[in-house]
Amino acid sequence: MEYNFKEIEAKWQSRWRADKTYKVETNPSRPKFYVLDMFPYPSGAGLHVGHPLGYIASDIYSRYKRLKGFNVLHPMGYDAFGLPAEQYAIQTGQHPAVTTEQNIARYREQLDKIGFSFDWDREVRTCDPGYYKWTQWAFLEMFSHWYDRSKQQARPVAELTAAFETSGTEGLDAACTTEMHFTAAEWNAKSEREKEQILQNYRLAFRADTQVNWCPKLGTVLANDEVHDGLSVRGGY
């Protein structure tokens, strides 16, 4: 008997959507399992061959773990910020918000046709203010905290500053990049800039000078994998 994949796939995918077959709810009675794929960046007209190559493998594993009794969380989203989306908008003469929305719709259509078991109620878009609000919040929280090894927890930097003012580094067991030792008098004698440079050594997230790949034509920095033989892969700049 011939396998009419168009008819069969459409029928069951419609059923999965209507029943929210892959929607995940909290269920303490079942062991948890989390499968996270690399989010595609919707900068072009659709998926490339590398996307389903990886997603099919993780989807197979997700289905296997469900059949083994696990409560599987398998979300999907879009890495929609960054150079590729920006360049696609420039090339097509449109606003990134417009092209990104159109490309996401195309990606979703293609992903649905393949029939992946994603929980689309948990979709993430990194260009959504409701998403990056929290990534920015998390970074600021890390920037304003240090790690107290004696208490095995993160503590506000204000507590660290207060400790430096009264007893320097004596008695502190703080995670840091470089071990430092100074007295309260030495700390209090330093300028505000010098104090901040010391605190950078303890903050969970910190500022630092480093070398980057700068592309004048694109007006941005590039990751190492975006550079080949000293030139930008995107355009040969």
Side-chain angles (χ1 to χ4, degrees), residues 199-211:
L199 290 175
Q200 294 293 328
N201 186 53
Y202 296 93
R203 295 182 186 275
L204 295 182
F206 58 89
R207 291 190 297 261
D209 292 326
T210 188
Q211 289 187 333

Side-chain angles (χ1 to χ4, degrees), residues 85 89-90 92-102:
I90 292 173
T92 58
Q94 302 176 80
H95 193 286
V98 175
T99 57
T100 299
E101 188 67 33
Q102 292 173 343

Side-chain angles (χ1 to χ4, degrees), residues 164-170 180-191 194-195 198:
F164 287 162
E165 290 173 350
T166 58
S167 55
T169 56
E170 184 179 355
M180 305 181 75
H181 302 282
F182 50 82
T183 65
E186 290 171 329
W187 167 264
N188 292 323
K190 295 183 182 299
S191 67
E194 290 172 328
K195 289 178 179 179
I198 292 173

